[in-house]
Amino acid sequence: MTTTALFRNHYPLFQKLFPLFQKYITKRFVSEELAGERVAKVVTAPEYNQSVAYWSWGKTFCPKGFSPS
């Protein structure tokens, strides 16, 4: 999501460096397309209808049935 308009009002240097930081340092870069797919899965999958929950695709935790990309 670091390449979307979410950061459009931030400093230009941040706009250039943050996606690189996410991709190469944290290894957590997520494309806009993949983020949309993940949101769609959480919205439509009945096993994720729990209220006030946090679902993560991180390296240490992954909800049952979903693999991190």
Side-chain angles (χ1 to χ4, degrees):
M1 297 303 297
T2 60
T3 57
T4 66
L6 181 64
F7 297 104
R8 68 184 168 274
N9 294 326
H10 217 296
Y11 300 108
L13 182 62
F14 179 86
Q15 292 172 349
K16 290 189 182 288
L17 294 180
F18 190 61
L20 298 173
F21 175 78
Q22 289 293 89
K23 193 171 195 175
Y24 298 110
I25 305 297
T26 67
K27 309 284 192 221
R28 302 287 179 133
F29 180 85
V30 177
S31 69
E32 190 171 357
E33 180 180 357
L34 179 57
E37 290 172 9
R38 290 178 176 180
V39 168
K41 285 180 183 179
V42 170
V43 169
T44 60
E47 61 267 26
Y48 299 107
N49 64 1
Q50 178 181 348
S51 181
V52 191
Y54 175 78
W55 304 108
S56 173
W57 277 266
K59 294 180 181 181
T60 57
F61 169 78
C62 186
K64 180 181 175 187
F66 292 84
S67 60
S69 299

Coordinates of all heavy atoms in Angstrom, one line a residue:
M1 N 0.8 -1.2 0.0 CA 0.0 0.0 0.0 C 0.9 1.3 0.0 O 0.3 2.3 -0.1 CB -0.9 0.0 1.2 CG -1.9 -1.1 1.2 SD -3.0 -1.2 -0.2 CE -3.9 0.3 -0.1
T2 N 2.1 1.1 0.1 CA 3.0 2.3 0.2 C 3.1 3.0 -1.2 O 3.6 4.1 -1.2 CB 4.4 1.8 0.6 OG1 5.0 0.9 -0.4 CG2 4.4 1.2 2.0
T3 N 2.7 2.4 -2.3 CA 2.7 3.1 -3.5 C 1.4 3.7 -3.9 O 1.2 4.3 -5.0 CB 3.2 2.2 -4.6 OG1 2.3 1.1 -4.7 CG2 4.6 1.7 -4.4
T4 N 0.4 3.7 -3.1 CA -0.9 4.2 -3.4 C -1.0 5.7 -3.0 O 0.0 6.2 -2.4 CB -2.0 3.5 -2.6 OG1 -1.9 3.7 -1.2 CG2 -2.0 2.0 -2.9
A5 N -2.1 6.3 -3.2 CA -2.3 7.7 -2.8 C -2.4 7.9 -1.3 O -2.6 9.1 -0.9 CB -3.6 8.2 -3.5
L6 N -2.4 6.9 -0.6 CA -2.4 7.0 0.9 C -1.4 8.0 1.4 O -1.6 8.7 2.4 CB -2.2 5.6 1.5 CG -2.3 5.6 3.1 CD1 -3.7 5.9 3.6 CD2 -1.9 4.2 3.5
F7 N -0.2 8.0 0.8 CA 0.9 8.9 1.2 C 1.0 10.1 0.3 O 2.1 10.7 0.3 CB 2.2 8.1 1.3 CG 2.1 7.0 2.4 CD1 2.0 5.7 2.0 CD2 2.2 7.3 3.7 CE1 1.9 4.7 2.9 CE2 2.1 6.3 4.7 CZ 2.0 5.0 4.2
R8 N 0.0 10.5 -0.4 CA 0.1 11.6 -1.4 C 0.5 12.9 -0.8 O 1.0 13.8 -1.5 CB -1.1 11.7 -2.2 CG -2.3 12.1 -1.4 CD -3.6 12.1 -2.3 NE -4.8 12.3 -1.4 CZ -5.4 11.3 -0.8 NH1 -5.0 10.1 -0.9 NH2 -6.5 11.5 -0.1
N9 N 0.1 13.1 0.5 CA 0.4 14.4 1.1 C 1.7 14.4 2.0 O 2.0 15.4 2.7 CB -0.8 14.8 2.0 CG -2.0 15.1 1.2 OD1 -1.9 15.6 0.1 ND2 -3.2 14.7 1.7
H10 N 2.4 13.4 1.9 CA 3.7 13.3 2.6 C 4.8 13.8 1.8 O 4.7 14.1 0.6 CB 3.9 11.8 3.0 CG 4.5 11.6 4.3 ND1 5.8 12.1 4.7 CD2 4.0 11.0 5.4 CE1 6.0 11.8 5.9 NE2 5.0 11.1 6.4
Y11 N 6.0 14.0 2.5 CA 7.2 14.5 1.8 C 7.6 13.7 0.6 O 7.5 12.4 0.7 CB 8.3 14.6 2.8 CG 8.1 15.4 4.0 CD1 7.9 14.9 5.3 CD2 8.1 16.8 3.9 CE1 7.7 15.6 6.4 CE2 7.9 17.6 5.0 CZ 7.7 17.0 6.3 OH 7.4 17.8 7.4
P12 N 8.0 14.3 -0.5 CA 8.4 13.5 -1.7 C 9.5 12.5 -1.4 O 9.4 11.3 -1.9 CB 8.9 14.6 -2.6 CG 8.1 15.8 -2.2 CD 8.0 15.7 -0.7
L13 N 10.4 12.8 -0.5 CA 11.5 11.9 -0.2 C 10.9 10.6 0.5 O 11.3 9.5 0.2 CB 12.6 12.5 0.7 CG 13.7 11.6 1.1 CD1 14.5 11.2 -0.2 CD2 14.7 12.4 2.0
F14 N 10.0 10.8 1.4 CA 9.3 9.7 2.1 C 8.6 8.9 1.1 O 8.6 7.6 1.2 CB 8.3 10.3 3.1 CG 7.6 9.2 3.9 CD1 8.1 8.6 5.0 CD2 6.3 8.8 3.4 CE1 7.5 7.6 5.7 CE2 5.6 7.8 4.1 CZ 6.2 7.2 5.2
Q15 N 7.9 9.5 0.1 CA 7.1 8.8 -0.9 C 8.0 7.8 -1.7 O 7.6 6.8 -2.2 CB 6.4 9.7 -1.8 CG 5.3 10.5 -1.2 CD 4.7 11.6 -2.0 OE1 5.3 11.9 -3.1 NE2 3.6 12.1 -1.6
K16 N 9.3 8.2 -1.9 CA 10.2 7.4 -2.7 C 10.9 6.4 -1.8 O 11.1 5.2 -2.2 CB 11.3 8.3 -3.3 CG 10.8 9.2 -4.4 CD 11.9 9.8 -5.1 CE 11.4 10.7 -6.2 NZ 10.9 10.0 -7.4
L17 N 11.2 6.7 -0.6 CA 12.0 5.8 0.3 C 11.2 4.8 1.0 O 11.6 3.6 1.2 CB 12.9 6.6 1.3 CG 14.0 7.4 0.7 CD1 14.7 8.2 1.8 CD2 14.9 6.6 -0.2
F18 N 10.0 5.1 1.4 CA 9.2 4.2 2.2 C 8.8 2.9 1.5 O 9.0 1.8 2.1 CB 7.9 4.9 2.7 CG 7.2 4.1 3.8 CD1 7.8 3.7 5.0 CD2 5.9 3.7 3.5 CE1 7.1 3.0 5.9 CE2 5.2 2.9 4.5 CZ 5.8 2.6 5.7
P19 N 8.4 2.9 0.2 CA 8.2 1.7 -0.5 C 9.5 0.8 -0.5 O 9.4 -0.4 -0.4 CB 7.8 2.1 -1.9 CG 7.2 3.4 -1.7 CD 8.0 4.1 -0.6
L20 N 10.6 1.4 -0.7 CA 11.9 0.7 -0.8 C 12.2 0.1 0.6 O 12.6 -1.1 0.7 CB 13.0 1.6 -1.2 CG 12.9 2.1 -2.7 CD1 14.0 3.1 -2.9 CD2 12.9 1.0 -3.7
F21 N 11.9 0.8 1.6 CA 12.1 0.3 3.0 C 11.2 -0.9 3.3 O 11.7 -1.9 3.8 CB 11.8 1.5 4.0 CG 11.9 1.0 5.4 CD1 13.1 0.9 6.1 CD2 10.7 0.8 6.1 CE1 13.1 0.5 7.4 CE2 10.7 0.4 7.5 CZ 12.0 0.2 8.1
Q22 N 10.0 -0.8 2.9 CA 9.1 -1.9 3.1 C 9.5 -3.1 2.3 O 9.3 -4.2 2.8 CB 7.6 -1.5 2.7 CG 7.0 -0.5 3.6 CD 6.7 -1.1 5.0 OE1 7.5 -1.0 5.9 NE2 5.5 -1.6 5.1
K23 N 10.0 -2.9 1.1 CA 10.3 -4.0 0.2 C 11.6 -4.7 0.6 O 11.6 -5.9 0.7 CB 10.4 -3.5 -1.2 CG 10.4 -4.6 -2.3 CD 10.3 -4.0 -3.7 CE 10.0 -5.0 -4.7 NZ 9.7 -4.4 -6.0
Y24 N 12.6 -3.9 0.9 CA 13.9 -4.5 1.1 C 14.4 -4.7 2.5 O 15.2 -5.5 2.8 CB 15.0 -3.7 0.3 CG 14.7 -3.8 -1.2 CD1 14.3 -2.6 -1.9 CD2 14.9 -4.9 -1.9 CE1 14.0 -2.6 -3.2 CE2 14.6 -5.0 -3.3 CZ 14.2 -3.8 -3.9 OH 14.0 -3.9 -5.3
I25 N 13.9 -3.9 3.4 CA 14.3 -3.9 4.8 C 13.3 -4.8 5.6 O 13.7 -5.7 6.2 CB 14.4 -2.5 5.4 CG1 15.3 -1.6 4.6 CG2 14.9 -2.6 6.9 CD1 16.8 -2.1 4.5
T26 N 12.1 -4.4 5.6 CA 11.1 -5.2 6.4 C 10.6 -6.4 5.7 O 10.0 -7.3 6.3 CB 9.9 -4.3 6.8 OG1 9.1 -4.0 5.6 CG2 10.3 -3.0 7.5
K27 N 10.7 -6.4 4.4 CA 10.2 -7.5 3.5 C 8.7 -7.6 3.6 O 8.1 -8.7 3.5 CB 10.8 -8.9 3.9 CG 12.3 -8.9 4.0 CD 13.0 -8.9 2.6 CE 14.4 -9.2 2.7 NZ 15.3 -8.4 1.9
R28 N 8.0 -6.5 3.9 CA 6.6 -6.5 4.1 C 5.8 -5.7 3.0 O 4.7 -5.2 3.2 CB 6.2 -5.9 5.5 CG 6.8 -6.7 6.6 CD 6.1 -8.0 6.8 NE 6.8 -8.7 7.9 CZ 6.1 -9.3 8.9 NH1 4.8 -9.3 8.9 NH2 6.7 -10.0 9.8
F29 N 6.4 -5.5 1.9 CA 5.8 -4.7 0.8 C 4.6 -5.5 0.3 O 4.7 -6.7 0.0 CB 6.8 -4.5 -0.3 CG 6.2 -3.7 -1.5 CD1 6.2 -2.3 -1.4 CD2 5.7 -4.3 -2.6 CE1 5.7 -1.5 -2.5 CE2 5.2 -3.6 -3.6 CZ 5.2 -2.2 -3.6
V30 N 3.5 -4.8 0.2 CA 2.2 -5.4 -0.3 C 1.7 -4.5 -1.5 O 1.5 -3.3 -1.3 CB 1.2 -5.5 0.8 CG1 -0.1 -6.0 0.3 CG2 1.7 -6.3 1.9
S31 N 1.5 -5.1 -2.6 CA 1.0 -4.4 -3.8 C -0.5 -4.0 -3.5 O -1.2 -4.6 -2.6 CB 1.1 -5.2 -5.0 OG 0.2 -6.3 -5.0
E32 N -1.0 -3.0 -4.2 CA -2.4 -2.6 -4.1 C -3.3 -3.8 -4.4 O -4.3 -4.0 -3.8 CB -2.6 -1.4 -4.9 CG -3.9 -0.7 -4.7 CD -4.1 0.6 -5.4 OE1 -3.1 1.1 -6.1 OE2 -5.2 1.2 -5.3
E33 N -2.9 -4.5 -5.5 CA -3.8 -5.6 -5.9 C -3.8 -6.7 -4.8 O -4.9 -7.2 -4.5 CB -3.2 -6.2 -7.2 CG -4.0 -7.4 -7.7 CD -3.4 -8.0 -9.0 OE1 -2.4 -7.5 -9.5 OE2 -4.0 -9.0 -9.4
L34 N -2.7 -7.1 -4.3 CA -2.7 -8.1 -3.2 C -3.4 -7.6 -2.0 O -4.2 -8.4 -1.3 CB -1.3 -8.5 -2.8 CG -1.1 -9.5 -1.7 CD1 -1.8 -10.8 -2.1 CD2 0.4 -9.8 -1.5
A35 N -3.3 -6.4 -1.6 CA -4.0 -5.8 -0.5 C -5.5 -5.9 -0.7 O -6.3 -6.3 0.2 CB -3.6 -4.4 -0.2
G36 N -6.0 -5.6 -1.9 CA -7.4 -5.8 -2.2 C -7.9 -7.2 -2.1 O -9.0 -7.5 -1.6
E37 N -7.0 -8.1 -2.6 CA -7.4 -9.5 -2.5 C -7.5 -10.0 -1.0 O -8.4 -10.7 -0.7 CB -6.4 -10.4 -3.2 CG -6.3 -10.3 -4.7 CD -5.2 -11.0 -5.4 OE1 -4.4 -11.7 -4.7 OE2 -5.0 -10.8 -6.6
R38 N -6.6 -9.5 -0.2 CA -6.7 -9.9 1.2 C -7.9 -9.3 1.9 O -8.6 -10.0 2.7 CB -5.4 -9.4 1.9 CG -4.2 -10.2 1.5 CD -3.0 -9.6 2.2 NE -1.8 -10.4 1.9 CZ -0.6 -10.2 2.3 NH1 -0.4 -9.1 3.1 NH2 0.4 -10.9 2.0
V39 N -8.2 -8.1 1.6 CA -9.5 -7.5 2.2 C -10.7 -8.3 1.7 O -11.6 -8.6 2.5 CB -9.6 -6.0 1.8 CG1 -11.0 -5.4 2.1 CG2 -8.5 -5.2 2.4
A40 N -10.7 -8.6 0.4 CA -11.9 -9.4 -0.1 C -12.0 -10.7 0.6 O -13.1 -11.2 1.0 CB -11.7 -9.6 -1.6
K41 N -10.9 -11.4 0.9 CA -10.9 -12.7 1.6 C -11.5 -12.5 3.0 O -12.3 -13.3 3.5 CB -9.5 -13.3 1.7 CG -9.0 -13.9 0.4 CD -7.6 -14.5 0.5 CE -7.1 -15.0 -0.8 NZ -5.8 -15.5 -0.7
V42 N -11.0 -11.5 3.7 CA -11.4 -11.3 5.1 C -12.9 -10.9 5.1 O -13.7 -11.3 6.0 CB -10.6 -10.2 5.8 CG1 -11.2 -9.8 7.1 CG2 -9.2 -10.8 6.0
V43 N -13.4 -10.1 4.2 CA -14.8 -9.7 4.1 C -15.7 -10.9 3.8 O -16.8 -11.0 4.3 CB -14.9 -8.5 3.1 CG1 -16.4 -8.2 2.9 CG2 -14.2 -7.3 3.6
T44 N -15.3 -11.8 2.9 CA -16.2 -12.8 2.4 C -16.1 -14.1 3.1 O -17.0 -14.9 3.1 CB -16.0 -13.0 0.9 OG1 -14.6 -13.4 0.7 CG2 -16.3 -11.8 0.1
A45 N -14.9 -14.4 3.8 CA -14.7 -15.7 4.4 C -15.5 -15.8 5.7 O -15.2 -15.0 6.6 CB -13.3 -16.0 4.6
P46 N -16.4 -16.7 5.9 CA -17.2 -16.8 7.2 C -16.3 -17.0 8.4 O -16.7 -16.6 9.5 CB -18.1 -18.0 6.9 CG -17.7 -18.7 5.7 CD -16.7 -17.8 5.0
E47 N -15.2 -17.7 8.3 CA -14.3 -17.9 9.5 C -13.7 -16.6 10.0 O -13.1 -16.6 11.1 CB -13.3 -19.0 9.2 CG -12.3 -18.6 8.1 CD -12.7 -19.1 6.7 OE1 -13.9 -19.4 6.5 OE2 -11.8 -19.3 5.9
Y48 N -13.8 -15.5 9.3 CA -13.3 -14.3 9.7 C -14.4 -13.2 10.0 O -14.1 -12.1 9.9 CB -12.3 -13.7 8.7 CG -11.2 -14.7 8.4 CD1 -11.1 -15.4 7.3 CD2 -10.2 -14.8 9.4 CE1 -10.1 -16.3 7.1 CE2 -9.2 -15.7 9.2 CZ -9.1 -16.5 8.1 OH -8.1 -17.4 7.9
N49 N -15.5 -13.7 10.4 CA -16.6 -12.8 10.8 C -16.6 -12.4 12.2 O -17.5 -11.7 12.7 CB -18.0 -13.4 10.4 CG -18.3 -14.6 11.2 OD1 -17.5 -15.0 12.1 ND2 -19.5 -15.2 10.9
Q50 N -15.5 -12.7 12.9 CA -15.3 -12.3 14.3 C -15.1 -10.8 14.4 O -14.3 -10.2 13.7 CB -14.1 -13.0 14.9 CG -13.8 -12.7 16.4 CD -12.6 -13.4 16.9 OE1 -12.1 -14.3 16.3 NE2 -12.1 -13.0 18.0
S51 N -15.9 -10.2 15.3 CA -15.8 -8.8 15.5 C -14.6 -8.4 16.4 O -14.1 -9.2 17.2 CB -17.0 -8.3 16.2 OG -17.0 -6.9 16.4
V52 N -14.0 -7.2 16.2 CA -12.9 -6.7 16.9 C -11.7 -7.7 16.9 O -11.1 -8.1 17.9 CB -13.2 -6.4 18.4 CG1 -12.1 -5.6 19.1 CG2 -14.5 -5.6 18.5
A53 N -11.3 -8.1 15.7 CA -10.2 -9.0 15.5 C -9.1 -8.4 14.6 O -9.5 -7.5 13.8 CB -10.7 -10.3 15.0
Y54 N -7.9 -8.8 14.7 CA -6.8 -8.4 13.9 C -6.3 -9.6 13.1 O -5.8 -10.5 13.7 CB -5.7 -7.7 14.7 CG -4.5 -7.3 13.9 CD1 -4.5 -6.2 13.1 CD2 -3.4 -8.1 13.9 CE1 -3.4 -5.8 12.3 CE2 -2.3 -7.8 13.1 CZ -2.3 -6.6 12.4 OH -1.2 -6.3 11.6
W55 N -6.3 -9.5 11.8 CA -5.8 -10.6 11.0 C -4.5 -10.2 10.3 O -4.5 -9.1 9.7 CB -6.9 -11.0 9.9 CG -8.2 -11.4 10.5 CD1 -9.3 -10.7 10.5 CD2 -8.5 -12.5 11.3 NE1 -10.3 -11.3 11.2 CE2 -9.8 -12.5 11.7 CE3 -7.7 -13.6 11.7 CZ2 -10.4 -13.4 12.5 CZ3 -8.3 -14.6 12.5 CH2 -9.7 -14.5 12.9
S56 N -3.5 -11.0 10.3 CA -2.2 -10.6 9.8 C -1.7 -11.7 8.8 O -2.0 -12.8 9.0 CB -1.2 -10.5 11.0 OG 0.0 -10.3 10.5
W57 N -1.0 -11.2 7.8 CA -0.4 -12.1 6.9 C 1.2 -12.0 7.1 O 1.9 -12.2 6.2 CB -0.7 -11.6 5.4 CG -2.0 -12.2 5.0 CD1 -2.2 -13.3 4.3 CD2 -3.3 -11.6 5.2 NE1 -3.5 -13.5 4.0 CE2 -4.2 -12.5 4.6 CE3 -3.7 -10.5 5.8 CZ2 -5.6 -12.2 4.6 CZ3 -5.1 -10.2 5.8 CH2 -6.0 -11.1 5.2
G58 N 1.6 -11.7 8.3 CA 3.0 -11.7 8.6 C 3.7 -13.0 8.6 O 3.0 -14.0 8.5
K59 N 4.9 -13.0 8.8 CA 5.7 -14.2 8.8 C 5.5 -15.1 10.0 O 5.8 -16.3 10.0 CB 7.2 -13.9 8.7 CG 7.5 -13.3 7.3 CD 9.0 -12.9 7.2 CE 9.3 -12.3 5.9 NZ 10.7 -12.0 5.7
T60 N 5.0 -14.5 11.1 CA 4.9 -15.3 12.4 C 3.5 -15.7 12.6 O 3.3 -16.6 13.4 CB 5.4 -14.4 13.6 OG1 4.6 -13.2 13.6 CG2 6.8 -14.1 13.5
F61 N 2.5 -15.2 12.0 CA 1.1 -15.6 12.2 C 0.3 -15.5 10.9 O 0.5 -14.5 10.1 CB 0.4 -14.6 13.2 CG -1.0 -14.8 13.3 CD1 -1.6 -15.9 14.0 CD2 -1.9 -13.9 12.7 CE1 -3.0 -16.1 14.0 CE2 -3.3 -14.1 12.7 CZ -3.8 -15.2 13.4
C62 N -0.4 -16.5 10.6 CA -1.3 -16.5 9.4 C -2.6 -17.2 9.8 O -2.6 -18.3 10.3 CB -0.6 -17.2 8.3 SG -1.5 -17.1 6.7
P63 N -3.7 -16.5 9.5 CA -5.0 -17.1 9.8 C -5.1 -18.4 9.0 O -4.6 -18.6 7.9 CB -6.0 -16.1 9.2 CG -5.3 -14.8 9.2 CD -3.8 -15.2 8.9
K64 N -5.8 -19.4 9.6 CA -6.0 -20.7 9.1 C -6.6 -20.6 7.7 O -7.6 -19.9 7.4 CB -7.0 -21.5 10.0 CG -7.3 -22.8 9.5 CD -8.3 -23.5 10.4 CE -8.7 -24.9 9.8 NZ -9.8 -25.5 10.6
G65 N -6.0 -21.3 6.7 CA -6.5 -21.4 5.4 C -5.9 -20.3 4.4 O -6.1 -20.3 3.3
F66 N -5.1 -19.4 5.0 CA -4.5 -18.3 4.1 C -3.0 -18.4 4.2 O -2.5 -18.5 5.3 CB -5.0 -16.9 4.6 CG -6.5 -16.7 4.3 CD1 -7.4 -17.2 5.2 CD2 -6.9 -16.1 3.2 CE1 -8.8 -17.0 5.0 CE2 -8.2 -15.9 2.9 CZ -9.2 -16.3 3.9
S67 N -2.4 -18.3 3.1 CA -0.9 -18.3 3.2 C -0.4 -17.0 2.9 O -0.9 -16.3 2.0 CB -0.3 -19.3 2.2 OG -0.7 -19.0 0.9
P68 N 0.7 -16.5 3.5 CA 1.2 -15.2 3.3 C 1.8 -15.1 1.9 O 2.3 -16.1 1.3 CB 2.3 -15.0 4.3 CG 2.6 -16.4 4.8 CD 1.4 -17.2 4.6
S69 N 1.7 -14.0 1.3 CA 2.3 -13.8 -0.1 C 3.4 -12.9 -0.1 O 3.6 -12.0 0.7 CB 1.2 -13.3 -1.0 OG 0.1 -14.2 -1.1

